[in-house]
Amino acid sequence: EPEKLTAEEIVELEMPKLIETMSLDPFEQAVVRTVLVTSVKKRMELQILQLEPKKMREEYEKTIKQQDAELEASLPPEKYKIYLEI
């Protein structure tokens, strides 16, 4: 069985595409990386908890909404729009 990636490793695999597509400066990169790592960790914790499907979906959606809200608050509107389109 392949080793499971950490939240940080998962985000690092996605960052080059995000940096290029969104033209992120170093500060924006740090913000996006931090928000995404937190969000991925929460989703990994949800998988470990193995909640019933309806509750799992609700918690997953809540995590994504929080991630999007944090990114929207931290990024310029045009870059947040690009993020939503990715």
Side-chain angles (χ1 to χ4, degrees):
E1 180 179 318
E3 229 181 283
K4 291 205 185 274
L5 296 175
T6 65
E8 289 82 0
E9 290 167 334
I10 291 168
V11 172
E12 281 310 311
L13 290 173
E14 295 297 317
M15 283 306 295
K17 176 185 171 193
L18 295 173
I19 292 166
E20 183 180 344
T21 308
M22 297 170 66
S23 302
L24 299 175
D25 67 29
F27 173 76
E28 293 164 342
Q29 290 175 37
V31 169
V32 169
R33 184 177 284 112
T34 301
V35 170
L36 293 182
V37 166
T38 301
S39 184
V40 170
K41 281 182 180 175
K42 285 181 184 173
R43 285 180 274 170
M44 292 172 115
E45 289 166 7
L46 287 174
Q47 288 175 339
I48 292 168
L49 291 175
Q50 296 182 333
L51 304 169
E52 56 98 6
K54 183 173 185 257
K55 182 70 174 161
M56 177 73 99
R57 192 168 38 256
E58 288 171 4
E59 291 299 319
Y60 188 85
E61 287 172 3
K62 199 184 329 178
T63 301
I64 295 296
K65 277 185 183 157
Q66 171 145 13
Q67 168 188 302
D68 289 352
E70 289 178 25
L71 289 174
E72 184 176 20
S74 305
L75 293 171
E78 65 278 5
K79 292 188 182 182
Y80 179 68
K81 186 174 183 286
I82 294 168
Y83 161 77
L84 291 177
E85 293 169 358
I86 298 176

